Amino acid sequence: MPAHRETEDRGKEEEHGVRKEGCEPDYTTSCVALAGIQGLLLGRKTQFGVRLLTCKALQPADLKGPATPRPLSCPAHQVLLWVPLLAEVYRGGNGAKPQVNVRAAANGVKLTHSPGTNRGRTPEQGESTKSKSGTIALQCNYVKHLQDQGLIELHYCPTEEMIADILTKQLTKEKFETLPPSVSRVAMKLENARPEPPLEFALATEKEFEEILAMSKGIYGGLDYLPSRYHAWIREPNRSVVLAKKDGAVIGLQSVYIVDAGETVLVEGLRVAPWERGKGVAGILQRFCLEMVKEKHPGVKVSRLTRDDKLGPKDFKKYRVIAKQGILLVRFNAQDLLSRLDLTVLALEEGGFCPEPSELLVAGEVAETILRESFRSEVLPNQTIIQDWQPFKATASNLGLLQKKELCWVVDKKSHPTVATLSTRPFPIPLGKDWFYLNIDVFGHALAHVKSQLIHHLRLQVPGLQGNVMCQLFLQPALWLDMAEFCQVALGLELAKDYTEQFLLESDI
């Protein structure tokens, strides 16, 4: 897989000869061709990674005053070009078998490595005590298999004549001119690749709303919250909604929200236009927002975000996992549920179900209950309130932010709660006409109380809705199966999605 090399400043670019002649002073262009030769050896389509470092963007400081474009040292675009004619480099254009040049011996050498000494020894030179080249051995054996079938021919290529260097190294003029014409054609195509227009950054306003809707169409399976929150977000204190633009068109968005009394930034709403994905736009936008936060809010120490996709090794190196919850998504028709909810609960009671007590907290009771030390340490996950994808530490300043949202807090007992649930007022979603989204966050482990409080929230939030509802519960993973069965069998709700997880992640700034 190609590994991209980044040139950090203009001085290094000029030193290594990657500065293009004729470019404007405010532009830096670097075309670095990287080898995909391993893909060719394995019979795959070879890819070239070409990074075009061309930026003319807004600095974070520019967002405080008039927007004045000036160069930003960051990669503006990352393109992967598929080059089918690479095969011609090895075919010679006459229909012959592909001829693959390799540095190693041509007969499927098995490379081995023993600690400290025989790096790259062949079996004839002595086996190492511990091989660290299993992947190389498999790849070379596969190449030998293709050779035995007569599909390819292998030819040894000395280091000084290695034509693949055009893909991995910066060559002198003399070395470049000695390359075969077919390789030179590929190199010239890469060298003459036109840079993408630079990215520009600006704070979101009302006028970009329609562009953002078009860019976000179909995201999150129709459950996108941004259309309902956008107008409030762009006016919310301590929140910045940053747009990435190319040629004046919006192609990316991310929101940063300062919470925890100025110590934490919540990163939300990241999205990139479908036609710009895979080009590095998200990474550039994230880095710009981070620099802006550092400059405008120097007291911020950590960034937090929530994700529901599968985390990989790189994610675990970058983030700390603060909490993990199961996501239960069900759907129902509001009028249908209301018409039968009371009879359904009565039938459950006759069948042995005993609803547990549940109490709705009024505005004046929320802080006293939620900020209690026993509740924060025993009920909340890592002393964090996760409200509809937004994580807040359980502090007085954050409760002030949450109380502006007209939330419904339900607990099992006000004096000493062991289970608490939090629901958000339903709002329209792009799934279709008359579709609403209801979010319920669950804190605690007692299954009977969670069931009873779910019924309580349905009675609070569903009346007045006309249409269909997507209801999403975030709860302890151990409760998911029992609650999924309760929703389907007992309440007659339809399961809309299998088990998924929500991760609360944190990283230092």
Side-chain angles (χ1 to χ4, degrees), residues 45 93 116 141 153 164 204 217 229 254 260 276 298 320 352 369 371 392 406 453-454 503:
K45 186 181 291 185
N141 287 337
E153 294 178 359
K217 186 176 182 180
R229 297 181 183 174
Q254 181 170 273
D260 298 344
E276 294 291 340
R320 296 182 294 273
T369 304
L371 298 181
F392 299 87
E406 300 181 279
Q453 291 184 29
L454 170 60
F503 294 92

Side-chain angles (χ1 to χ4, degrees), residues 385-406:
I385 302 168
I386 307 177
Q387 185 267 322
D388 194 9
W389 297 94
Q390 294 182 317
F392 299 87
K393 292 181 180 178
T395 63
S397 62
N398 286 337
L399 281 181
L401 298 176
L402 289 172
Q403 286 178 344
K404 298 176 182 179
K405 299 184 178 186
E406 300 181 279

Side-chain angles (χ1 to χ4, degrees), residues 6 100 201 262 285 306 321 334 496:
E6 295 189 8
V100 181
F201 302 95
L285 179 56
T306 50
V321 179

Side-chain angles (χ1 to χ4, degrees), residues 233-267:
W233 273 15
I234 61 178
R235 296 181 177 87
E236 193 169 11
N238 292 327
R239 183 188 291 277
S240 298
V241 182
V242 180
L243 303 178
K245 295 184 177 182
K246 181 186 292 185
D247 289 334
V250 177
I251 64 168
L253 175 147
Q254 181 170 273
S255 167
V256 287
Y257 186 33
I258 308 301
V259 298
D260 298 344
E263 294 185 353
T264 303
V265 55
L266 299 187
V267 180

